[in-house]
Amino acid sequence: MSRLEAIYEHLATKADLERVRAELKAEIRDSKMSTILWLTGITGALLSAAVAVLKAWPG
């Protein structure tokens, strides 16, 4: 049995795959949250700039 383990030690086990899957899910979740925060900030900045332009508009 140890001879087979030595030959196949480079292959992933089910536990390895589940760990990688969990890490990827967490990374995707964090990435989504980061994107939402960036877009919210950009939208707020654009709205503030639009209000400032409209207030400065003559008339």
Side-chain angles (χ1 to χ4, degrees):
M1 188 65 166
S2 64
R3 190 178 122 186
L4 287 176
E5 289 174 352
I7 294 171
Y8 292 115
E9 73 180 32
H10 65 280
L11 298 177
T13 64
K14 286 183 181 180
D16 293 334
L17 295 176
E18 285 299 319
R19 181 183 48 78
V20 170
R21 183 176 185 203
E23 289 173 4
L24 287 174
K25 285 177 72 175
E27 192 172 325
I28 290 170
R29 183 185 64 241
D30 293 344
S31 177
K32 282 182 183 180
M33 194 57 130
S34 176
T35 301
I36 289 170
L37 291 174
W38 269 98
L39 289 175
T40 302
I42 290 170
T43 302
L46 288 173
L47 284 173
S48 298
V51 168
V53 167
L54 290 174
K55 283 187 175 185
W57 201 269

